[in-house]
Amino acid sequence: MRQNFRNWPVLLVLFVFSAPLLIMLTFLLVDAFTTKVPGTMVPSGVTLHHFRFLWTDLDNGSWGIWGVTLNTFNFALFTSLAVTAISVTAGYALSRLAFPARGFFLGGLIVLHAFPTVTLIIAIFLILQLLGLYNTLIGVIVVKAALELPFGIWVMKGFYDTVPWEIEMAGVQDGASRFTVWWKLILPQVQPGLMAILIFSFLSGWSEFILPMVLAPGNDAQVLSTYLATMLLDGGTQADFNLFKAVGLFYALPVIIIYLVFQNKLMNIYGGGTKG
Amino acid sequence: MRISIENFTKAFGTTTVIKDMSLEINSGEMLALLGPSGCGKSTTLFAICGIHRMNSGRLLFGERDVTRISSQQRNVGVVFQNYALYPHMNVFDNIAFPLKVRRDTRADIERKVKDIADLVHIGELLHRKPAELSGGQQQRVALARALVREPDILLLDEPLANLDAKLRLEMRSEIRRIQQQTGITAVLVTHDQVEAMSMCDRIAIMDQGKIMQLSSPKEMYEDPSSDFVAGFLGNPPIAFLEGVAAEGGMRLANSEVTLPVPAAINLPDHGAAVRFGIRPEFFQPDNDLKIKGRISFVETQGREELYDVTLENGSVLRSIQSQGGSFKLGDNVNWGIAGDRILAFDAAGNRL
Ligand SMILES: Nc1ncnc2c1ncn2[C@@H]1O[C@H](COP(=O)(O)OP(=O)(O)O)[C@@H](O)[C@H]1O
Ligand SMILES: [Mg+2]
């Protein structure tokens, strides 16, 4: 491959703008594993002391890190399963079936997609109270899934739109029911979209902060993002920032791993589906 | 199996695409639906297989009324224009899909797929994915999948349109061979008159949702019922001369030349507009009914040569002659029309 030297100005600009991020990430990594004399920049020793939250209770009233992690995992997993299951079926209906008020649903989807969801939070809070789901993990899962759906449905519809009609007709002619056609012939072809939605909404659930904080502030439904926040708030000026960084690293690790493993699949959202 | 379409009407929204069409297709016959793009051929085909509901009319397979029967229960095999192979399955699974849906036994499926794959000559390709096949091979897989259930009827929607010229020639005879070997009743949709004439027992020629003529290829070529049919069939196409009925024959427009008319043709009253259709093979140097003109175009087609001859009044006649004539562009010629082969039409385009 021939090196293209024209690239270097672009690379330089990108580097300059991302340098603060890189520096912060480096210090996050370094500080989490080292001790330092206050007021200096250079670490004075290596330690795992900041990761003590993994094997001891921090005595801050929460479940302990593993319970919170399980909560976060459940929250992300069930949100993404719900979003995927509904997007995959609703996207098909919007792409293929002529049902009443289809245009209205399509329009509504775009509006909801662009809607700043934080403005809905008071109404959602009231509804959850009414349903008795306030301060429960299930309640937050339902809300998070509902807010992720417009995006998921829209992306899936885009994927379905690229599957030729004739394949569906051919399946019906071959004697298969509409459901079999969808399950055996159409779904395998939108599988990249399905994977992308699954991973994307898992990551989005994993990093969600506002919804759990407002709708489930109790200890039982605590997730890692709110756990981190309470650490800061409870500690006040005495907060152990190295501990905070270590927990942050622990929290970010799955995201980084998932992203590294699945980055090609995530790119499908922008490549395969939404053309046409 | 015999197919009867009775008073079929189909509308999409407010536009009526097919109006009151009736058509009978005999058992074991291969019929072509021929017509220009957008005339409603595919719509008719999809009504036969059940993808489109008929707005009114009846459809019978043999004695069975299938008008309201779902596609799945009609037992019709369809080959789609873009083949519609299932991209995630290999060739074997593609062909086996209709049998799996029907829950045939494993051994049955293996045997039937093998047999049909041998019939269409793709026995060695069974493990490949559709993306790894050439256009002609994909076409064969689509045919095999349509035929593996032993359907009563085979429908083909422009099956050769996506192939290059050489493959088209090969698949033309292949499809006909397979149809004759299986004895299946088949309907072929095409806009290519050569395909229709070379592959089918009968042709139904359509225009704007109506069947203009239904007959054998030879009959349709020699005895077209309208100028539309005459113009659609034949390559190179027929040439038309405009004129009016006059004493002793047809007087060409803007000209003093009067062409005598064979006794078999009943001309309308003097002064009424008429058109003569003259096929290139019936306009030759040594025919009797001479007419003067100048060669305005020469095309060498290998075995034959095609000449355009512009007459004194500006009309153009075509002539196709075997190689070796010494005519050149710009030559003034006095060639003749075979008088008994003139096709005459009235102002509305109906045959006289
Ligand atoms: N699903 C549809 N909705 C609306 N109009 C259609 C539909 N399918 C076909 N048409 C119209 O019907 C006419 C005939 O189409 P078609 O049967 O596909 O023609 P062709 O003879 O080229 O196969 C065309 O004018 C086309 O625009
Ligand atoms: Mg068509």
Side-chain angles (χ1 to χ4, degrees):
Chain A
M1 221 198 292
R2 200 168 59 91
Q3 189 80 32
N4 191 345
F5 290 99
R6 292 281 178 82
N7 275 340
W8 72 263
V10 181
L11 285 177
L12 188 72
V13 170
L14 284 177
F15 181 78
V16 166
F17 278 98
S18 47
L21 278 174
L22 273 178
I23 293 168
M24 281 194 289
L25 279 175
T26 313
F27 273 100
L28 177 71
L29 212 59
V30 170
D31 289 352
F33 289 101
T34 56
T35 54
K36 236 188 314 195
V37 179
T40 61
M41 290 291 281
V42 187
S44 55
V46 176
T47 177
L48 283 178
H49 178 68
H50 308 315
F51 282 89
R52 65 185 179 281
F53 65 90
L54 291 176
W55 51 84
T56 57
D57 245 340
L58 287 182
D59 190 30
N60 53 5
S62 85
W63 274 39
I65 190 74
W66 295 110
V68 175
T69 306
L70 183 69
N71 267 354
T72 316
F73 180 76
N74 282 339
F75 174 62
L77 181 72
F78 287 106
T79 301
S80 78
L81 288 181
V83 169
T84 308
I86 298 172
S87 298
V88 155
T89 41
Y92 180 79
L94 280 174
S95 168
R96 286 293 204 262
L97 308 179
F99 55 89
R102 178 173 173 274
F104 170 79
F105 280 108
L106 272 178
L109 214 56
I110 300 172
V111 171
L112 277 179
H113 181 29
F115 205 80
T117 47
V118 196
T119 56
L120 294 172
I121 204 130
I122 295 172
I124 291 171
F125 173 83
L126 290 175
I127 294 171
L128 283 191
Q129 284 258 319
L130 210 69
L131 294 173
L133 290 175
Y134 176 69
N135 221 352
T136 63
L137 202 56
I138 294 185
V140 201
I141 290 175
V142 169
V143 172
K144 176 67 180 166
L147 296 180
E148 284 287 312
L149 270 177
F151 176 70
I153 294 174
W154 191 253
V155 169
M156 284 316 297
K157 179 192 172 290
F159 273 87
Y160 281 120
D161 285 347
T162 64
V163 180
W165 255 111
E166 282 85 358
I167 289 195
E168 213 153 328
M169 297 194 215
V172 168
Q173 284 309 318
D174 285 346
S177 66
R178 275 310 278 272
F179 181 81
T180 309
V181 167
W182 174 72
W183 182 251
K184 289 246 172 84
L185 302 181
I186 308 299
L187 209 50
Q189 307 199 46
V190 298
Q191 198 224 3
L194 186 149
M195 289 302 291
I197 297 293
L198 197 70
I199 298 162
F200 193 86
S201 47
F202 183 90
L203 290 180
S204 168
W206 185 266
S207 53
E208 179 63 44
F209 170 60
I210 304 249
L211 293 177
M213 184 186 69
V214 178
L215 303 175
N219 279 335
D220 285 349
Q222 201 170 39
V223 293
L224 281 169
S225 59
T226 49
Y227 179 87
L228 265 173
T230 29
M231 249 169 101
L232 271 188
L233 293 176
D234 293 354
T237 48
Q238 257 76 63
D240 182 344
F241 278 104
N242 285 333
L243 178 66
F244 183 79
K245 282 173 188 162
V247 176
L249 203 60
F250 176 75
Y251 178 41
L253 209 59
V255 176
I256 294 169
I257 293 174
I258 290 177
Y259 190 79
L260 286 180
V261 173
F262 292 112
Q263 54 176 330
N264 288 335
K265 301 220 147 114
L266 279 171
M267 286 305 156
N268 278 330
I269 286 193
Y270 307 105
T274 39
K275 61 183 166 220
Chain B
M1 181 157 301
R2 188 172 53 95
I3 308 170
S4 318
I5 303 171
E6 298 175 355
N7 309 105
F8 165 42
T9 298
K10 177 73 198 175
F12 294 108
T14 53
T15 43
T16 306
V17 176
I18 309 277
K19 293 174 229 58
D20 199 28
M21 172 199 284
S22 294
L23 175 63
E24 189 113 343
I25 301 161
N26 301 323
S27 187
E29 160 179 69
M30 183 144 169
L31 179 113
L33 284 178
L34 174 67
S37 174
C39 72
K41 307 177 299 284
S42 299
T43 306
T44 308
L45 199 78
F46 292 152
I48 296 176
C49 67
I51 288 169
H52 288 331
R53 287 279 144 80
M54 298 163 85
N55 289 82
S56 69
R58 280 203 323 156
L59 177 66
L60 288 94
F61 290 172
E63 297 305 314
R64 189 163 77 114
D65 186 337
V66 295
T67 315
R68 286 179 212 300
I69 305 266
S70 71
S71 293
Q72 286 93 339
Q73 268 131 37
R74 285 193 192 188
N75 200 22
V76 174
V78 183
V79 174
F80 291 90
Q81 181 166 2
N82 60 5
Y83 316 137
L85 300 180
Y86 311 135
H88 58 295
M89 297 180 182
N90 66 19
V91 170
F92 181 93
D93 290 330
N94 260 281
I95 302 175
F97 183 77
L99 304 177
K100 285 183 181 160
V101 167
R102 206 167 62 178
R103 299 188 194 290
D104 280 15
T105 64
R106 225 192 149 72
D108 265 357
I109 293 178
E110 297 255 337
R111 183 175 50 77
K112 284 179 184 164
V113 172
K114 277 263 145 49
D115 288 352
I116 203 79
D118 286 342
L119 178 73
V120 301
H121 301 327
I122 48 165
E124 323 79 63
L125 306 174
L126 289 177
H127 55 277
R128 293 222 202 146
K129 286 276 175 69
E132 300 159 358
L133 300 176
S134 71
Q137 291 167 333
Q138 290 184 25
Q139 169 81 81
R140 288 168 191 268
V141 176
L143 258 173
R145 190 182 64 190
L147 289 170
V148 75
R149 278 188 311 165
E150 294 170 26
D152 301 322
I153 290 155
L154 177 66
L155 305 179
L156 306 129
D157 189 5
E158 311 244 5
L160 307 177
N162 292 344
L163 300 177
D164 60 53
K166 190 163 163 290
L167 264 178
R168 199 174 299 176
L169 219 63
E170 177 189 326
M171 287 312 292
R172 214 155 79 186
S173 51
E174 275 294 280
I175 292 176
R176 180 59 161 165
R177 169 184 72 81
I178 292 160
Q179 185 265 335
Q180 284 178 329
Q181 224 163 315
T182 51
I184 194 169
T185 310
V187 180
L188 172 93
V189 160
T190 178
H191 63 264
D192 181 349
Q193 48 100 17
V194 180
E195 259 169 62
M197 298 227 279
S198 60
M199 291 169 74
C200 294
D201 299 305
R202 284 196 304 161
I203 298 174
I205 188 164
M206 291 179 66
D207 188 31
Q208 297 176 9
K210 287 211 175 67
I211 292 182
M212 308 299 288
Q213 189 173 351
L214 173 64
S215 42
S216 71
K218 186 165 148 50
E219 204 179 303
M220 189 170 279
Y221 185 77
E222 291 175 352
D223 196 11
S225 66
S226 66
D227 59 350
F228 172 81
V229 177
F232 209 88
L233 295 189
N235 183 30
I238 198 167
F240 289 105
L241 294 178
E242 313 288 341
V244 292
E247 193 63 50
M250 181 186 83
R251 201 178 65 239
L252 292 182
N254 310 321
S255 159
E256 293 307 310
V257 179
T258 301
L259 289 175
V261 169
I265 296 173
N266 285 319
L267 277 189
D269 295 340
H270 290 177
V274 286
R275 303 181 86 186
F276 276 9
I278 294 146
R279 294 206 182 274
E281 60 270 38
F282 301 129
F283 180 54
Q284 300 288 331
D286 29 348
N287 284 342
D288 325 325
L289 196 54
K290 298 291 184 197
I291 192 160
K292 283 200 180 72
R294 206 168 52 83
I295 296 180
S296 55
F297 182 74
V298 183
E299 184 181 293
T300 306
Q301 297 192 333
R303 194 160 33 85
E304 283 153 338
E305 254 162 315
L306 175 67
Y307 301 99
D308 281 6
V309 176
T310 304
L311 308 184
E312 282 156 336
N313 70 343
S315 313
V316 176
L317 283 181
R318 277 184 209 95
S319 172
I320 190 150
Q321 300 172 18
S322 50
Q323 198 62 274
S326 50
F327 305 106
K328 291 187 308 297
L329 189 67
D331 282 2
N332 286 309
V333 292
N334 188 22
W335 290 347
I337 299 166
D340 53 337
R341 298 306 195 121
I342 291 174
L343 303 168
F345 305 94
D346 67 14
N350 296 314
R351 180 81 178 278
L352 291 169

